[in-house]
């Protein structure tokens, strides 16, 4: 007994319509394509997001840490202003103030003839104890 077809059905169906009981090749191709696109776009997003950190690697450690924290905050909060601030911070090279100041301090110590002002923990504890004892006697 031959199946009677619906009169609304055309003789020729497009190739993307699967035969009943077979897999849909167009659906499978689109799923694979979308997975690849999502992975590529996600990778590009994270690469772009890491630009300030990569730029900051030629600066000081503190500046790298500040830029990294700003990048993480912008990643988790989706506030892009933090990323922009991190990018600007990575572009700026801060001057080194601590080296000249410590050099001046060492030079002044040499000129005055004093020993190094770095006290050990025992000396600092003894000095503190003497100060406390001295204050107690005067009362």
């Amino acid at each position: 007994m031959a199946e009677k077809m619906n009169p609304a059905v055309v003789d020729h169906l497009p190739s993307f319509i699967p035969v009943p009981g077979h897999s849909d090749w167009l659906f499978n191709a689109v799923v694979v394509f979308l997975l690849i696109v999502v992975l590529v776009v996600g990778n590009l997003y994270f690469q772009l997001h890491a630009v300030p950190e990569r730029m900051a690697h030629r600066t000081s450690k503190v500046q790298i840490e500040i830029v990294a924290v700003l990048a993480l905050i912008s990643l988790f909060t989706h506030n892009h202003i933090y990323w922009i601030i991190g990018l600007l911070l990575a572009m700026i090279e801060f001057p080194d103030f601590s080296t000249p100041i410590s050099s001046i301090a060492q030079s002044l110590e040499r000129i005055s003839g004093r020993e190094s002002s770095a006290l050990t923990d025992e000396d600092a504890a003894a000095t503190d104890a003497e100060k406390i004892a001295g204050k107690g006697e005067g009362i």
Side-chain angles (χ1 to χ4, degrees), residues 38-50:
V38 165
L39 290 175
V40 167
V41 168
N43 190 13
L44 289 175
Y45 176 74
F46 285 128
Q47 292 292 328
L48 178 69
H49 197 48

Side-chain angles (χ1 to χ4, degrees), residues 60-113:
S60 67
K61 182 180 181 216
V62 174
Q63 192 170 357
I64 292 171
E65 290 175 356
I66 291 171
V67 170
V69 166
L70 286 171
L72 269 176
I73 290 172
S74 74
L75 178 67
F76 290 126
T77 62
H78 300 289
N79 289 329
H80 302 298
I81 190 70
Y82 294 118
W83 187 84
I84 293 169
I85 293 170
L87 184 65
L88 292 175
L89 246 153
M91 288 182 183
I92 297 170
E93 190 169 331
F94 293 129
D96 182 21
F97 291 116
S98 63
T99 303
I101 290 175
S102 64
S103 174
I104 291 169
Q106 289 173 356
S107 298
L108 288 174
E109 283 179 355
R110 257 187 281 130
I111 290 171
S112 68

Side-chain angles (χ1 to χ4, degrees), residues 116-124 127:
S116 177
S117 64
L119 295 175
T120 63
D121 290 337
E122 295 172 2
D123 293 339
T127 305

Side-chain angles (χ1 to χ4, degrees), residues 19-33:
V19 179
H22 291 95
S23 66
D24 187 358
W25 65 270
L26 182 63
F27 174 75
N28 293 335
V30 168
V31 166
V32 170
F33 175 74

